[in-house]
Amino acid sequence: MKKKILEVENLHVSFDTYAGEIQAVRGISFEVFEGETLAIVGESGCGKSVTAKSIMRLNPEPPARFKSGKILFKGEDIISKSEKEMRDVRGNKIGMIFQDPMTSLNPTMTIGKQILEGLRSHKSSLSNEEAHKVVLDMLKLVQIPNPEERINEYPHQFSGGMRQRAMIAIALVCNPQLLIADEPTTALDVTIQAQILELMKDLQKKINTSIIMITHDLGVVANISQRVVVMYGGKIVEYADTHELYYNPKHPYTWGLLSSVPRVDIVKTENKLSSIEGTPPDLFAPPPGCPFADRCEYSMKICREKMPPAFIIREGHGSACWLSHPDAPKVETPSLFIGTTESAKKRGEN
């Protein structure tokens, strides 16, 4: 059985602002195992990036505040660590790929120096020649052509896809055990996006790094992750392994996300993309019940009054929705996004 490398237990994170407290993350729990990819999915403002940055302790404190909960990395509580101790964790044990490489990279430093910076911070015993070789090897590993020349170039001389590869090299140069990728393909076209995802899968096989993929794109999830956590309104509303989530989703919010993914195996006239009407909840004053109730066409009175627990659908699959209660009205899962064709089923099984 695989070991847990990360455990997040009942995590609450708030931001104290002049207008009041923003309850950005409200009691989430999940784990990441060695060598696996976990996807955290949800629309903007659901708490994905706050969760990722909490693991790295990158949310500025204040205004960010850990209200309660634990973040255990290999059994050590991240929240209780000092800033000096966290500097040893960041980049060395946990790496992070940020959302926009153009704003994350330093425009005044060459790509080689930026990769070298993290290496020098954590492996100061390396000689100049050894460090230079490690940087070149990383550029080759992330498939940047002509690494001997590109090592001395600046971010503006790289294309969007090459900048993202450079960011991956920076995150992986110290061989971290956990890599957090915060929407690494958002600004890229679909061809480059596919290349970056394939690169991450190949790197994971080579160095056995666990990955947390933060995204709003369920198309990305299908290609890279083994398990999925769906977040909404600062809470986890559904979790399952990837195949189970696509073929047996139980939460109406998950249905809405899946309905927005284009399908190539359905006749055009049937393949209408839907949107989720309404707006996300106000996290200054979150609702007492299900955060999705106001946008859900199946909501009942209890949905607005009481937050549902995570009902266990089967082992490894839970849905925080009152429709999963044994006494709830039976609602048919919308069929638009379910893999009903034989080819789709075979793809899911492979």
Side-chain angles (χ1 to χ4, degrees):
M1 185 176 177
K2 288 185 177 180
K3 294 180 180 178
K4 292 179 184 178
I5 192 169
L6 180 76
E7 297 174 74
V8 176
E9 300 177 0
N10 194 32
L11 181 66
H12 289 76
V13 181
S14 288
F15 290 84
D16 295 315
T17 72
Y18 69 92
E21 178 189 357
I22 302 174
Q23 300 178 44
V25 174
R26 304 187 292 139
I28 67 169
S29 299
F30 62 89
E31 62 277 323
V32 181
F33 295 93
E34 288 183 346
E36 80 156 349
T37 299
L38 173 75
I40 302 180
V41 182
E43 64 190 77
S44 297
C46 72
K48 307 185 303 294
S49 293
V50 172
T51 301
K53 290 180 179 179
S54 295
I55 295 169
M56 293 282 281
R57 290 278 301 279
L58 289 176
N59 293 313
E61 304 171 35
R65 172 167 52 94
F66 289 105
K67 292 180 68 178
S68 62
K70 293 181 180 180
I71 301 174
L72 301 175
F73 176 71
K74 302 195 78 173
E76 297 180 2
D77 190 359
I78 291 289
I79 296 174
S80 65
K81 286 184 178 293
S82 66
E83 182 58 28
K84 183 179 179 181
E85 291 172 321
M86 282 306 301
R87 283 197 291 270
D88 182 55
V89 172
R90 298 186 192 114
N92 188 26
K93 298 176 182 178
I94 305 176
M96 188 163 183
I97 305 169
F98 295 95
Q99 191 166 346
D100 184 359
M102 197 58 188
T103 56
S104 301
L105 293 169
N106 188 331
T108 68
M109 291 175 64
T110 64
I111 291 296
K113 282 187 178 180
Q114 294 189 60
I115 299 173
L116 186 63
E117 192 174 35
L119 192 64
R120 283 284 184 222
S121 297
H122 301 293
K123 302 189 186 296
S124 55
S125 60
L126 291 176
S127 67
N128 290 337
E129 292 76 14
E130 289 172 329
H132 184 78
K133 185 180 183 303
V134 170
V135 173
L136 276 178
D137 288 344
M138 283 306 306
L139 290 174
K140 292 174 185 175
L141 190 65
V142 297
Q143 300 172 18
I144 290 181
N146 304 318
E148 293 81 3
E149 297 176 17
R150 306 309 291 266
I151 194 172
N152 295 314
E153 292 184 352
Y154 292 86
H156 72 273
Q157 295 174 282
F158 278 51
S159 67
M162 289 297 108
R163 283 195 290 267
Q164 197 59 276
R165 290 170 190 265
M167 283 292 299
I168 294 172
I170 291 170
L172 292 179
V173 70
C174 294
N175 293 323
Q177 295 137 309
L178 176 64
L179 176 66
I180 301 172
D182 188 3
E183 305 208 28
T185 59
T186 297
L188 306 176
D189 62 62
V190 291
T191 304
I192 304 302
Q193 183 182 93
Q195 292 175 5
I196 294 296
L197 292 174
E198 200 60 39
L199 172 64
M200 291 180 69
K201 286 166 68 177
D202 290 342
L203 290 174
Q204 186 178 37
K205 290 176 185 175
K206 289 177 182 176
I207 60 181
N208 198 38
T209 297
S210 302
I211 298 175
I212 297 177
M213 173 68 77
I214 310 290
T215 183
H216 60 268
D217 186 348
L218 278 165
V220 169
V221 169
N223 192 39
I224 195 170
S225 70
Q226 286 80 53
R227 292 188 302 119
V228 184
V229 166
V230 180
M231 285 189 69
Y232 183 79
K235 285 185 170 288
I236 291 175
V237 295
E238 187 164 11
Y239 62 88
D241 69 63
T242 305
H243 181 267
E244 173 76 8
L245 189 88
Y246 274 80
Y247 290 94
N248 188 32
K250 290 298 181 184
H251 198 284
Y253 180 61
T254 311
W255 298 346
L257 291 178
L258 287 166
S259 295
S260 67
V261 177
R263 288 284 298 273
V264 296
D265 56 345
I266 296 178
V267 180
K268 262 188 178 180
T269 54
E270 299 173 5
N271 194 14
K272 294 180 181 178
L273 294 180
S274 63
S275 61
I276 303 173
E277 299 295 329
T279 57
D282 181 4
L283 295 182
F284 277 111
C290 174
F292 190 60
D294 287 341
R295 304 174 74 184
C296 179
E297 60 181 294
Y298 309 102
S299 65
M300 302 170 284
K301 184 180 178 182
I302 192 173
C303 298
R304 290 178 168 79
E305 295 175 348
K306 189 175 180 181
M307 179 66 196
F311 294 100
I312 304 301
I313 310 302
R314 62 178 66 183
E315 186 179 356
H317 184 186
S319 173
C321 178
W322 286 114
L323 290 177
S324 297
H325 191 282
D327 299 330
K330 300 303 176 187
V331 174
E332 286 294 322
T333 304
S335 60
L336 175 63
F337 51 81
I338 301 300
T340 52
T341 66
E342 288 302 314
S343 61
K345 287 179 181 176
K346 287 177 182 176
R347 284 200 303 274
E349 290 166 1
N350 290 336

